[in-house]
Short mmCIF file of all heavy atoms in Angstrom, two decimals:
data_model
loop_
_atom_site.label_atom_id
_atom_site.label_comp_id
_atom_site.label_asym_id
_atom_site.label_seq_id
_atom_site.Cartn_x
_atom_site.Cartn_y
_atom_site.Cartn_z
N CYS I 337 45.10 -30.29 17.98
CA CYS I 337 44.64 -29.03 17.39
C CYS I 337 43.48 -28.48 18.23
O CYS I 337 42.48 -29.16 18.41
CB CYS I 337 44.22 -29.21 15.95
SG CYS I 337 43.60 -27.67 15.23
N GLU I 338 43.63 -27.25 18.67
CA GLU I 338 42.60 -26.67 19.52
C GLU I 338 41.43 -26.12 18.70
O GLU I 338 40.41 -25.73 19.25
CB GLU I 338 43.21 -25.56 20.40
CG GLU I 338 44.13 -26.15 21.46
CD GLU I 338 44.78 -25.10 22.34
OE1 GLU I 338 45.09 -24.00 21.82
OE2 GLU I 338 44.99 -25.37 23.54
N ASP I 339 41.62 -26.08 17.38
CA ASP I 339 40.53 -25.63 16.51
C ASP I 339 39.62 -26.79 16.12
O ASP I 339 38.42 -26.77 16.41
CB ASP I 339 41.10 -24.99 15.25
CG ASP I 339 41.13 -23.49 15.35
OD1 ASP I 339 41.38 -22.99 16.46
OD2 ASP I 339 40.89 -22.81 14.32
N CYS I 340 40.21 -27.77 15.44
CA CYS I 340 39.38 -28.83 14.88
C CYS I 340 39.37 -30.08 15.76
O CYS I 340 38.57 -31.01 15.52
CB CYS I 340 39.86 -29.19 13.48
SG CYS I 340 41.48 -29.97 13.43
N GLY I 341 40.24 -30.12 16.76
CA GLY I 341 40.20 -31.25 17.69
C GLY I 341 40.97 -32.47 17.24
O GLY I 341 41.06 -33.46 17.97
N LYS I 342 41.53 -32.40 16.06
CA LYS I 342 42.29 -33.55 15.56
C LYS I 342 43.54 -33.79 16.40
O LYS I 342 44.16 -32.84 16.88
CB LYS I 342 42.68 -33.32 14.10
CG LYS I 342 41.56 -33.62 13.13
CD LYS I 342 41.95 -34.78 12.20
CE LYS I 342 40.74 -35.46 11.59
NZ LYS I 342 39.85 -34.54 10.86
N LYS I 376 47.63 -25.30 16.71
CA LYS I 376 46.79 -25.42 15.53
C LYS I 376 47.47 -26.29 14.47
O LYS I 376 48.63 -26.08 14.15
CB LYS I 376 46.53 -24.04 14.92
CG LYS I 376 45.64 -23.15 15.74
CD LYS I 376 45.19 -21.94 14.93
CE LYS I 376 44.29 -21.02 15.75
NZ LYS I 376 43.59 -20.03 14.93
N CYS I 377 46.72 -27.23 13.95
CA CYS I 377 47.24 -28.08 12.89
C CYS I 377 47.43 -27.24 11.62
O CYS I 377 46.93 -26.10 11.53
CB CYS I 377 46.30 -29.23 12.63
SG CYS I 377 44.78 -28.79 11.77
N ALA I 378 48.13 -27.79 10.66
CA ALA I 378 48.46 -27.07 9.44
C ALA I 378 47.19 -26.52 8.76
O ALA I 378 47.12 -25.37 8.36
CB ALA I 378 49.23 -27.96 8.48
N ASN I 379 46.18 -27.37 8.67
CA ASN I 379 44.92 -26.96 8.05
C ASN I 379 44.31 -25.73 8.71
O ASN I 379 43.96 -24.78 8.05
CB ASN I 379 43.90 -28.10 8.11
CG ASN I 379 44.02 -29.04 6.93
OD1 ASN I 379 44.80 -28.78 6.01
ND2 ASN I 379 43.28 -30.12 6.96
N CYS I 380 44.20 -25.81 10.02
CA CYS I 380 43.52 -24.74 10.75
C CYS I 380 44.40 -23.49 10.82
O CYS I 380 43.89 -22.36 10.87
CB CYS I 380 43.16 -25.20 12.15
SG CYS I 380 41.91 -26.52 12.13
N ALA I 381 45.71 -23.66 10.83
CA ALA I 381 46.60 -22.50 10.87
C ALA I 381 46.49 -21.72 9.56
O ALA I 381 46.58 -20.50 9.55
CB ALA I 381 48.05 -22.94 11.11
ZN1 ZN V 1250 42.94 -28.24 13.16
#
Side-chain angles (χ1 to χ4, degrees):
Chain I
C337 178
E338 289 179 326
D339 261 36
C340 67
K342 279 243 159 56
K376 290 193 180 194
C377 73
N379 273 354
C380 294

